[in-house]
Amino acid sequence: MINTGKKAEFKQLMLNRRNLYHLFSRLFQKEVDQAFYDQLRAITFPSHREENALTEFKDALLRLNEYFEYDAGESLDDLAADYAKTFLGAGSAQGAAAFPYESVYTSPKHVMMQDAWNQVCDIYESKGIERNEESADLLEDHIAVELDFMAFLCDETSRFTETLAGLEEQKEFLNRHLLNWAPGFCLDIKVHADTEFYRMVGQLTTGFLQLDSFILDQMINARKARTMCSQSFRMSRARMDEILTELQTEYRIYAPRLIEDRGSWEDGGLVRYQEIGALDDIVLDRQSDFSMKEVLYPVSQTIFRFDENSCVETVSSDPKGIILFARPCDINGLKRLDNMFLANGGMSDVYYKRMRDKVKIFLMECPQSWESCFCVSMGTNRTEYYSAAFHLHGEEILLEVKDAEFIDYFGGETPADYAPAFIEENQKKVRVPDIKDPSRLREIFNLEFWKTCSEECISCGGCNTVCPTCSCFDTVDFLNQENSRKGERRRIWSSCMLPDFSRTAGGNIARKRADQMMRFKTMHKVYDYKARFGGNEHMCVGCGRCIQRCPKEISFADTINQLSEEVDRLNAGQPEQE
Amino acid sequence: MEQNVLVPQPHRILNIRRHTKTECTFRVACDTEPGFGQFFMLSLPKVGEAPISASGKGRGYVEFTIRNVGLLTQAIFDLEPGNSIFLRGPYGNQFPVKQFENKDLLIICGGTGMAPILTMANHFYDHPEVCKSVHIISGFKNADAVLFRDEIEKFQSRFHMITTLDSEVVEGFETGMVTAHIGKVPIRSFDDYNIVIVGPPVMMHFAALECVKNGAEESKIWVSFERKMCCGVGKCGHCKIHDTYVCLEGPVFNYSDAKDKLMD
Ligand SMILES: Cc1cc2nc3c(=O)[nH]c(=O)nc-3n(C[C@H](O)[C@H](O)[C@H](O)COP(=O)(O)OP(=O)(O)OC[C@H]3O[C@@H](n4cnc5c(N)ncnc54)[C@H](O)[C@@H]3O)c2cc1C
Ligand code: SF4
Ligand code: FES
């Protein structure tokens, strides 16, 4: 069980580092008062490391212990006077001092507010940092502010799930900025300070920064070495539940879950993606009625709030990541959504992207092919895209972990020999139409077949709603209250099977009839998407949910197959059969 | 911070010019300069958002000529100079004016369809040396529906300008649909030329057929499509026709491509 709690351990380490940075920041921010003096005296510094690189720090620690053990005879007043002399050049220093600003140490003329100052200002701004009151009167490249920023980064890394990026960011700032000038500055402290206390502070600071840089390197290297791993394990269901609980401090976990009081049209209960707490919450013996897209692309989503004079985007500050337990077809569906939301038009949709960036996929191995599945025909029965894959159906859970982030959670379980199995054959087989040449499109467009295949369709749009790859939306403005000036614009799933989808002012509707809409939907799913984005993938992933959902029992699989036959006939130069 | 393309910004209305009971031109303070034929998404929080072409541009402003047809457009008509209107854009492609240089140009527009071609027509008015000749046929329902009277008068001095009313006989105007006047333009005698058609879908359809009947090649005809749009940036899916998104690859299309590819 070596790995249990490694995540928590990592988090604690980040928080300890944060506290140390705060402490060092405080040392330079202003004079020492009694409370802070007592706090210093009580603190224990990390000293268990043996590495040579850290002699500076070890020496400093010894000095610190001695300092507090044998009263050096320096009063708080002495320290305050020395602070003013050393860092502000007051009194007998006659203007000479160890000025605690990066740009004094890095600019050719040794003056304040030069390049380095500009750079750190930009960095703080890019992080959206507001300066706290205590240090508000210090320039941004003051050592106390830079140390404080390191504390901020440590805190951030402790909260987010992408730890490698966070660690790299810390290292970058530490090496580029603090370590680039603080050691020189600390040597100057030795020259200017009269008290043992501040001379010691100089040595301690350099030592601490060097130690921290070393620790960061170690953590980064360890993480990099792990990113391409693939390890398999086995464990009991009870153990899996423990880990799920642990994961929930960092992630919201979504999986198919039964909503009993929301009946589907067929039988009791509707299975949709919802947050889960334990294994038993996951519905495994049935396909979810809705796809997982609603987790990252909600049915209705506020895009901004407004009043008379402004539109302000509200960003959720939920720091938790998202884990999605998903089947291969839906995971392939995610790639289609990515194309639409992240790539189409060369712009990414920030609402989708924000959620997408948080998503980690836990593949659920399919125990069987359900009645309407035709994933094999669509080439979506397999996927490589997952952080971990699970066999959840037996007494024992089997899993493969590919994403290093999750080794922290699962790494201590019993090793096993497991790789997810994929469905290789469905009952339903679908053949995609062989449209060799776009010049054929007009003939295909004019087929009588569209009328016959949509005869029963009542244009309810249910098929679009359950589809993992349908992504269209309308925007609608809502007021907080009637007559209020304030409100919000939301985007709401839309459906190309509804006549309103193509309605423009004056009642003009581009696609009014069911056959026009059925043609539009079908062609998009098995021709247009691929024609636009290239590659080998069609938009339809063959999950079969639309077949299950349709109140008129129209089978989209049959529609595709019949269309293929019609196209074959056109290819062979035969007329359409009545 | 990533750029969020869906959030519009407030812009001040500088003045409003009334053309008819249902059509006004709004001049809005704006520093972004749209290309010929591009559109913006205009919105009023509380009411909604819609695509509107830029009908004019100048230093620090953009103009929109809007027909009052529904919820949003009605709400825009209730505004006064000094009020804010929310914008994002410009979006879409442009008329290929480079290709029009040193050739004859025929523009056929109906009703508010004159709005999207206006910045381009003004450009050729200011630079009469660019095109060999410019012919404009603009059609309106009746005399009360005539837009841009000042511009039409102005264009008459430099362009071959035909302004026609569907069935009304009024002094100073021709009578009949735009299609009835296409035969007056010597398309067959043009060396090289381009034809731009903007208006309601039915009008564009018949005008294009009529041009072809009069000897025009399909590949020399350009049309501007109108589709319902909820985003303007290729995300909402409303404007899609086959593998094309009108908000991205349009609204301007070459007729020979559009005719076969862009079927609903
Ligand atoms: C590229 C482009 C350029 C346009 N340029 C102009 C212009 O310069 N002047 C002008 O008066 N009109 C123009 N239109 C049409 C204009 O967008 C509609 O008249 C307007 O959307 C009607 O909105 P409404 O709320 O008043 O009508 P409603 O019927 O109440 O419409 C409700 C919603 O439906 C959508 N909608 C309705 N009609 C259209 C439509 N024709 N096109 C797109 N979405 C629509 C909008 O999202 C609108 O908010 C253009 C349309 C397009 C696609
Ligand atoms: S679910 Fe069935 S009836 Fe409803 S729109 Fe889709 S195909 Fe038509
Ligand atoms: S308008 Fe939304 S995709 Fe074109």
Side-chain angles (χ1 to χ4, degrees):
Chain A
M1 299 284 97
I2 343 130
N3 269 296
T4 313
K6 254 219 159 153
K7 192 81 196 178
E9 201 179 284
F10 174 80
K11 199 169 173 156
Q12 195 52 53
L13 176 61
M14 289 301 123
L15 295 179
N16 290 346
R17 290 177 55 243
R18 176 196 66 185
N19 295 343
L20 279 172
Y21 272 109
H22 271 314
L23 185 102
F24 276 98
S25 172
R26 169 63 187 83
L27 273 172
F28 292 103
Q29 201 179 302
K30 56 185 179 213
E31 300 82 354
V32 175
D33 55 23
Q34 190 62 50
F36 187 53
Y37 190 86
D38 295 341
Q39 190 190 339
L40 275 178
R41 173 172 247 174
I43 205 132
T44 47
F45 285 90
S47 61
H48 56 283
R49 295 181 186 257
E50 298 292 317
E51 292 83 2
N52 289 337
L54 314 171
T55 41
E56 179 91 6
F57 191 60
K58 273 206 274 186
D59 283 354
L61 280 183
L62 283 175
R63 271 174 80 178
L64 186 78
N65 288 340
E66 280 176 25
Y67 183 84
F68 286 120
E69 213 165 303
Y70 312 101
D71 183 8
E74 294 171 350
S75 70
L76 285 179
D77 283 345
D78 294 338
L79 295 186
D82 200 30
Y83 179 92
K85 172 173 182 271
T86 309
F87 301 118
L88 307 172
S92 66
Q94 297 189 321
F99 290 110
Y101 298 96
E102 178 172 350
S103 82
V104 171
Y105 281 83
T106 56
S107 62
K109 294 208 168 125
H110 303 292
V111 285
M112 286 161 60
M113 298 171 82
Q114 302 302 301
D115 288 354
W117 174 70
N118 279 322
Q119 287 163 12
V120 298
C121 285
D122 286 349
I123 294 173
Y124 302 159
E125 198 187 317
S126 74
K127 282 270 163 188
I129 291 187
E130 282 174 32
R131 299 275 305 280
N132 64 24
E133 277 170 34
E134 285 151 28
S135 61
D137 54 338
L138 301 178
L139 279 173
E140 285 78 357
D141 65 342
H142 188 285
I143 189 156
V145 182
E146 292 194 357
L147 289 164
D148 210 33
F149 181 63
M150 280 302 292
F152 169 87
L153 290 180
C154 294
D155 191 67
E156 197 179 61
T157 309
S158 80
R159 282 184 290 117
F160 289 123
T161 46
E162 268 316 326
T163 52
L164 182 58
L167 292 172
E168 297 263 25
E169 203 173 1
Q170 294 180 27
K171 181 180 155 180
E172 164 98 6
F173 188 82
L174 181 58
N175 289 351
R176 277 248 181 129
H177 292 281
L178 278 164
L179 277 173
N180 191 32
W181 70 282
F185 159 72
C186 290
L187 285 176
D188 281 355
I189 298 179
K190 272 193 198 155
V191 176
H192 294 283
D194 291 336
T195 56
E196 165 68 5
F197 180 82
Y198 279 110
R199 279 190 240 125
M200 185 183 70
V201 162
Q203 193 186 8
L204 199 61
T205 305
T206 302
F208 168 69
L209 294 177
Q210 285 170 347
L211 168 69
D212 199 49
S213 168
F214 181 84
I215 295 175
L216 273 174
D217 275 344
Q218 279 194 327
M219 285 191 291
I220 288 169
N221 291 340
R223 246 143 247 273
K224 278 193 176 153
R226 292 188 327 196
T227 34
M228 284 310 293
C229 75
S230 164
Q231 296 178 36
S232 299
F233 308 97
R234 63 176 73 240
M235 65 182 134
S236 68
R237 295 178 70 85
R239 178 69 191 122
M240 174 84 181
D241 272 339
E242 281 171 30
I243 296 179
L244 284 180
T245 307
E246 214 180 304
L247 279 166
Q248 280 166 71
T249 59
E250 304 279 328
Y251 297 92
R252 295 184 186 285
I253 306 175
Y254 292 85
R257 189 168 190 170
L258 185 69
I259 311 171
E260 280 169 41
D261 53 356
R262 290 277 304 278
S264 78
W265 62 277
E266 192 185 6
D267 49 16
L270 194 66
V271 178
R272 287 175 72 161
Y273 270 78
Q274 300 246 310
E275 250 191 285
I276 56 134
L279 265 186
D280 279 346
D281 295 338
I282 308 179
V283 175
L284 292 174
D285 58 354
R286 155 176 171 196
Q287 188 184 31
S288 66
D289 294 296
F290 279 57
S291 83
M292 70 185 186
K293 80 176 172 199
E294 63 181 315
V295 176
L296 53 169
Y297 172 44
V299 185
S300 168
Q301 178 173 32
T302 300
I303 55 178
F304 56 80
R305 296 184 202 288
F306 56 72
D307 57 29
E308 215 91 309
N309 304 311
S310 64
C311 296
V312 182
E313 186 197 341
T314 45
V315 186
S316 143
S317 56
D318 185 0
K320 283 195 178 180
I322 294 172
I323 289 172
L324 283 174
F325 274 99
R327 307 257 180 226
C329 57
D330 283 356
I331 297 171
N332 280 296
L334 196 58
K335 285 201 240 160
R336 318 303 196 252
L337 290 181
D338 285 353
N339 254 342
M340 200 53 206
F341 282 119
L342 303 179
N344 199 35
M347 267 176 269
S348 63
D349 177 279
V350 295
Y351 307 96
Y352 180 82
K353 185 167 188 301
R354 268 181 218 132
M355 299 297 273
R356 185 68 179 83
D357 284 347
K358 295 178 171 200
V359 167
K360 298 279 186 181
I361 301 288
F362 280 10
L363 172 94
M364 294 189 283
E365 193 183 285
C366 298
Q368 66 183 92
S369 168
W370 321 107
E371 192 188 334
S372 307
C373 299
F374 55 100
C375 55
V376 178
S377 303
M378 300 312 293
T380 53
N381 53 321
R382 318 182 128 265
T383 180
E384 289 283 310
Y385 184 77
Y386 53 84
S387 292
F390 293 81
H391 176 89
L392 295 173
H393 301 273
E395 263 316 297
E396 198 175 44
I397 305 284
L398 295 170
L399 76 147
E400 179 202 3
V401 180
K402 287 212 293 193
D403 183 333
E405 291 290 331
F406 295 104
I407 289 289
D408 284 350
Y409 294 94
F410 296 103
E413 305 310 313
T414 317
D417 185 20
Y418 168 77
F422 298 103
I423 297 292
E424 297 298 350
E425 196 178 3
N426 308 121
Q427 227 175 315
K428 267 212 165 47
K429 295 183 177 53
V430 162
R431 195 165 55 90
V432 173
D434 175 23
I435 304 172
K436 293 198 173 75
D437 182 349
S439 67
R440 270 276 139 73
L441 287 173
R442 179 163 287 278
E443 282 175 284
I444 294 171
F445 192 80
N446 288 333
L447 286 170
E448 275 299 308
F449 154 75
W450 297 116
K451 294 220 169 74
T452 48
C453 75
S454 62
E455 247 163 21
E456 296 288 316
C457 176
I458 53 167
S459 301
C460 65
C463 43
N464 298 119
T465 312
V466 295
C467 178
T469 66
C470 273
S471 60
C472 293
F473 61 83
D474 296 325
T475 55
V476 186
D477 288 2
F478 289 87
L479 295 186
N480 292 352
Q481 281 158 2
E482 213 181 330
N483 298 325
S484 161
R485 286 156 185 244
K486 294 184 177 175
E488 58 192 44
R489 180 164 298 165
R490 289 189 208 151
R491 66 170 173 206
I492 298 178
W493 287 2
S494 188
S495 158
C496 64
M497 295 303 287
L498 306 177
D500 262 1
F501 186 78
S502 63
R503 197 193 75 88
T504 45
N508 197 7
I509 297 176
R511 293 174 300 273
K512 221 182 280 187
R513 301 188 313 268
D515 60 302
Q516 295 170 314
M517 295 185 279
M518 187 66 87
R519 178 172 61 202
F520 182 86
K521 179 185 80 179
T522 308
M523 292 303 283
H524 193 192
K525 295 292 175 191
V526 298
Y527 181 79
D528 300 343
Y529 171 90
K530 184 172 155 194
R532 181 170 183 86
F533 294 106
N536 296 317
E537 295 159 356
H538 284 293
M539 192 176 193
C540 175
V541 293
C543 70
R545 287 191 180 91
C546 55
I547 304 175
Q548 293 293 320
R549 193 73 194 150
C550 183
K552 290 303 194 178
E553 296 182 41
I554 299 172
S555 161
F556 192 53
D558 292 350
T559 305
I560 304 174
N561 280 331
Q562 287 159 11
L563 174 62
S564 294
E565 281 170 32
E566 297 289 342
V567 172
D568 285 350
R569 229 169 264 140
L570 292 175
N571 287 342
Q574 292 164 5
E576 190 175 352
Q577 291 180 343
E578 284 304 312
Chain B
M1 191 83 183
E2 309 117 301
Q3 194 200 356
N4 186 343
V5 290
L6 292 183
V7 179
Q9 297 305 324
H11 290 259
R12 201 157 43 87
I13 298 177
L14 299 173
N15 67 54
I16 302 174
R17 181 155 66 118
R18 182 169 285 279
H19 302 282
T20 71
K21 262 198 223 115
T22 50
E23 279 132 330
C24 285
T25 293
F26 296 77
R27 178 174 289 193
V28 177
C30 177
D31 289 328
T32 359
E33 194 177 308
F36 304 114
Q38 283 195 303
F39 66 93
F40 283 78
M41 292 301 284
L42 258 67
S43 64
L44 284 182
K46 294 201 286 204
V47 191
E49 190 170 46
I52 302 287
S53 310
S55 63
K57 59 182 176 185
R59 246 170 198 277
Y61 71 84
V62 177
E63 288 181 338
F64 301 99
T65 302
I66 301 175
R67 191 177 156 80
N68 183 354
V69 288
L71 287 174
L72 176 69
T73 45
Q74 174 59 54
I76 294 178
F77 270 59
D78 293 339
L79 298 176
E80 290 168 4
N83 289 155
S84 287
I85 192 160
F86 289 68
L87 299 186
R88 52 192 187 89
Y91 298 127
N93 69 350
Q94 309 184 21
F95 290 111
V97 284
K98 270 262 165 266
Q99 282 187 51
F100 298 172
E101 288 176 10
N102 303 317
K103 297 172 191 167
D104 297 293
L105 176 66
L106 166 60
I107 299 172
I108 304 169
C109 53
T112 2
M114 193 158 180
I117 61 101
L118 210 57
T119 51
M120 178 172 70
N122 270 315
H123 170 74
F124 292 134
Y125 180 86
D126 294 338
H127 303 278
E129 71 288 353
V130 177
C131 285
K132 238 166 134 182
S133 73
V134 178
H135 299 253
I136 299 181
I137 304 173
S138 66
F140 299 97
K141 210 173 242 140
N142 50 44
D144 287 340
V146 176
L147 305 174
F148 306 112
R149 282 172 188 265
D150 296 348
E151 281 82 357
I152 289 172
E153 199 171 309
K154 181 178 107 175
F155 291 159
Q156 266 158 356
S157 65
R158 286 190 194 161
F159 302 155
H160 304 273
M161 184 87 212
I162 297 174
T163 308
T164 179
L165 308 178
D166 284 358
S167 54
E168 232 175 42
V169 184
V170 178
E171 167 88 46
F173 296 99
E174 304 276 341
T175 304
M177 305 284 186
V178 287
T179 41
H181 301 279
I182 292 173
K184 295 179 185 166
V185 182
I187 300 177
R188 284 201 171 83
S189 66
F190 289 155
D191 245 359
D192 201 354
Y193 59 91
N194 285 281
I195 300 173
V196 169
I197 309 176
V198 187
V202 210
M203 171 267 181
M204 292 199 287
H205 176 74
F206 286 108
L209 290 182
E210 191 63 24
C211 288
V212 174
K213 233 201 259 163
N214 281 277
E217 278 174 54
E218 287 181 350
S219 63
K220 297 194 182 294
I221 301 175
W222 306 86
V223 289
S224 177
F225 265 63
E226 200 178 302
R227 272 295 171 284
K228 180 176 167 94
M229 294 184 177
C230 288
C231 76
V233 292
K235 305 295 170 198
C236 77
H238 279 280
C239 70
K240 176 188 165 292
I241 311 179
H242 295 272
D243 60 352
T244 302
Y245 288 78
V246 176
C247 67
L248 300 174
E249 284 89 40
V252 178
F253 292 97
N254 186 280
Y255 179 65
S256 61
D257 297 335
K259 179 178 70 97
D260 276 330
K261 255 183 80 186
L262 305 184
M263 304 166 289
D264 282 296

